[in-house]
Amino acid sequence: MNPQLQEGLQAAHRRVIAALLAEREPAGHWIGELSSSALSTATAAIALAQVDPERHAPRIGEALRWLAEHQGS
């Protein structure tokens, strides 16, 4: 890869990370709500399962129940 391109990508990556971290609350987390769509719910469930399936089991279960209840609607 072109060294200048790689340097530019790394700088952009650092800026994006800094911007995201700056949006956190003082306690170190973000506040918000997920969209009530099947795609966002499934994405969230998969993300939680990738991070720590045991810790997030209740939320993953809630997401799967929501998906089952709302399929085809």
Side-chain angles (χ1 to χ4, degrees), residues 55-72:
R55 177 178 172 205
H56 299 295
R59 294 286 180 171
I60 295 167
E62 289 174 26
L64 296 178
R65 276 188 293 284
W66 188 92
L67 288 168
E69 291 169 4
H70 292 88
Q71 67 182 349

Side-chain angles (χ1 to χ4, degrees), residues 44-63:
I46 291 169
L48 291 172
Q50 292 295 313
V51 172
D52 189 338
E54 290 180 24
R55 177 178 172 205
H56 299 295
R59 294 286 180 171
I60 295 167
E62 289 174 26

Side-chain angles (χ1 to χ4, degrees), residues 3-72:
Q4 288 178 323
L5 176 59
Q6 186 171 0
E7 184 178 318
L9 289 173
Q10 289 172 343
H13 183 250
R14 287 189 297 272
R15 285 192 304 272
V16 168
I17 289 173
L20 287 171
L21 293 177
E23 294 295 320
R24 292 183 301 175
E25 294 295 309
H29 61 274
W30 293 272
I31 293 180
E33 294 180 15
L34 293 174
S35 169
S36 61
S37 74
L39 179 58
S40 65
T41 302
T43 300
I46 291 169
L48 291 172
Q50 292 295 313
V51 172
D52 189 338
E54 290 180 24
R55 177 178 172 205
H56 299 295
R59 294 286 180 171
I60 295 167
E62 289 174 26
L64 296 178
R65 276 188 293 284
W66 188 92
L67 288 168
E69 291 169 4
H70 292 88
Q71 67 182 349

